[in-house]
Amino acid sequence: MHRLERLSNALKTDLWIKRDDLTGFGFGGNKGRKIEFLLAEAIDSKATAIVCQGAIQSNFVRQLGAACSMFGLRCVAAVMNMPYYAAAGKPTGTKHVGGGNRILDDLFGVELRIFPDGDWEQLAKHAGEVALELTLQGESPYLIAIGGSSALGAYSFHLAGEEVIATGEQFDFLVTPSSSGSTHAGLAYCFQGTKTKVIGISADPDPDDELAHDIVSLCDLVGGITGIEKKIRRADIDLRMGYCGEAYGIPSEAGTKAIEQFAKREGIILDPVYSGKAAAGLFALIESGEIGGKILFWHTGGSPTLFTTPQ
């Protein structure tokens, strides 16, 4: 975690960054925090195979594949080229499906089961079917929710928030990418009741407000693990939907410009799926005067998606 000197000067604020892109595990990224707990539970349960789900360029699948290779576990991923929220409609933008995380998935030995594009609920159903198939083959599968968004996944980010607090640095705002919800939930739960206001920038459209309610539910689960009595309500969750572009996985124009700003002013690489869009929201909120003071931007990683090829 460090201060961004040139961007702070340009934006006339005190901007810092948390570098989860530098976790050093499976090409880096925030997912390693969640996997630390999820894979431990899988191993304790004597699982022989891990079943996960996501978009074909999923950062979670890539890092999970690396973890499974370390423990000799079979990793099977149910994926779609472009999953989407049914209520938002099927996106028409260009898919970026080749290269990037696909190359790393192959290196780590991930077995990809590619399904036709559909909504996220269909993808979850496919993952359940894959788990059943492995069970019938004699495996003991451990099924992981999309993006590791479970009680343990969110709890890992409660600990991540405590990691920041332990440095002694205090922030007025914390801005993070938000998608499946557990990163946002863990941070929101940790900083509830402090001076730090957590803002999540959604990476995909969610017209039914489903994601925000999922984040509230995940916060309740974190409370069950920590034993800390905090009641998080929908009104406590600040989730911004205006910077996601057309759809999940499709780069936005503002996100691309934000990636360029981070690269040219700080030499830091963001990604087009999560952190680029979140940085676009960060810049817009600062420039509008809605947020200011000392701000922490959470870099969740994902740099392999910069090297994808369109279809």
Side-chain angles (χ1 to χ4, degrees):
M1 187 175 75
H2 61 86
R3 190 173 190 270
L4 297 172
E5 300 291 341
R6 284 168 51 80
L7 278 173
S8 291
N9 292 337
L11 296 167
K12 296 180 173 56
T13 192
D14 189 8
L15 182 61
W16 290 57
I17 189 168
K18 188 74 169 80
R19 300 292 303 273
D20 267 8
D21 60 315
L22 299 180
T23 54
F25 170 75
F27 228 84
N30 69 317
K31 309 300 187 182
R33 294 182 183 273
K34 307 174 187 183
I35 291 167
E36 177 181 3
F37 290 91
L38 293 167
L39 206 59
E41 183 176 73
I43 292 169
D44 285 346
S45 69
K46 309 300 182 185
T48 61
I50 309 298
V51 178
C52 58
Q53 55 196 285
I56 202 158
Q57 286 292 338
S58 167
N59 294 312
F60 184 84
V61 171
R62 177 248 305 168
Q63 284 198 285
L64 181 62
C68 287
S69 69
M70 294 170 64
F71 292 96
L73 291 167
R74 186 178 178 185
C75 183
V76 186
V79 299
M80 295 175 175
N81 286 338
M82 189 180 289
Y84 56 89
Y85 280 105
K90 185 175 182 178
T92 59
T94 302
K95 304 174 185 178
H96 290 250
V97 299
N101 284 320
R102 281 293 306 277
I103 296 171
L104 297 168
D105 289 342
D106 289 342
L107 284 173
F108 295 136
V110 178
E111 300 174 36
L112 295 178
R113 304 289 180 85
I114 304 174
F115 295 93
D117 287 348
D119 65 31
W120 293 104
E121 289 186 4
Q122 287 176 312
L123 181 57
K125 181 180 178 181
H126 289 315
E129 292 167 349
V130 170
L132 176 59
E133 174 191 328
L134 295 185
T135 299
L136 295 175
Q137 293 175 2
E139 299 274 14
S140 296
Y142 178 88
L143 178 61
I144 295 179
I146 185 77
S149 282
S150 64
L152 287 175
Y155 173 66
S156 74
F157 266 87
H158 169 75
L159 295 181
E162 290 188 333
E163 191 176 293
V164 171
I165 292 170
T167 68
E169 299 289 348
Q170 295 187 2
F171 297 93
D172 297 297
F173 295 93
L174 186 159
V175 177
T176 178
S178 188
S179 183
S180 58
S182 52
T183 297
H184 188 172
L187 293 172
Y189 192 86
C190 180
F191 286 99
Q192 177 75 357
T194 73
K195 67 171 288 187
T196 303
K197 175 70 172 177
V198 175
I199 299 175
I201 307 295
S202 181
D204 45 342
D206 178 14
D208 292 334
D209 203 32
E210 180 180 341
L211 174 57
H213 289 287
D214 287 345
I215 292 170
V216 172
S217 297
L218 287 166
C219 285
D220 287 340
L221 295 175
V222 174
I225 295 175
T226 64
I228 302 171
E229 293 186 8
K230 294 183 180 181
K231 182 59 182 177
I232 309 295
R233 298 175 174 82
R234 171 62 185 92
D236 299 317
I237 301 301
D238 193 339
L239 178 63
R240 307 301 177 100
M241 305 302 301
Y243 308 98
C244 58
E246 182 190 354
Y248 176 87
I250 297 179
S252 68
E253 181 178 352
T256 299
K257 290 179 180 178
I259 290 171
E260 292 173 355
Q261 285 295 306
F262 263 83
K264 291 176 180 177
R265 291 186 183 272
E266 297 290 349
I268 293 174
I269 303 301
L270 305 183
D271 81 289
V273 179
Y274 297 102
S275 56
K277 292 180 179 182
L282 169 75
F283 290 161
L285 293 172
I286 292 172
E287 290 165 2
S288 70
E290 187 170 348
I291 66 174
K294 191 171 182 178
I295 304 167
L296 179 62
F297 177 71
W298 206 287
H299 188 348
T300 54
S303 58
T305 55
L306 279 170
F307 306 103
T308 57
T309 54
Q311 175 179 301

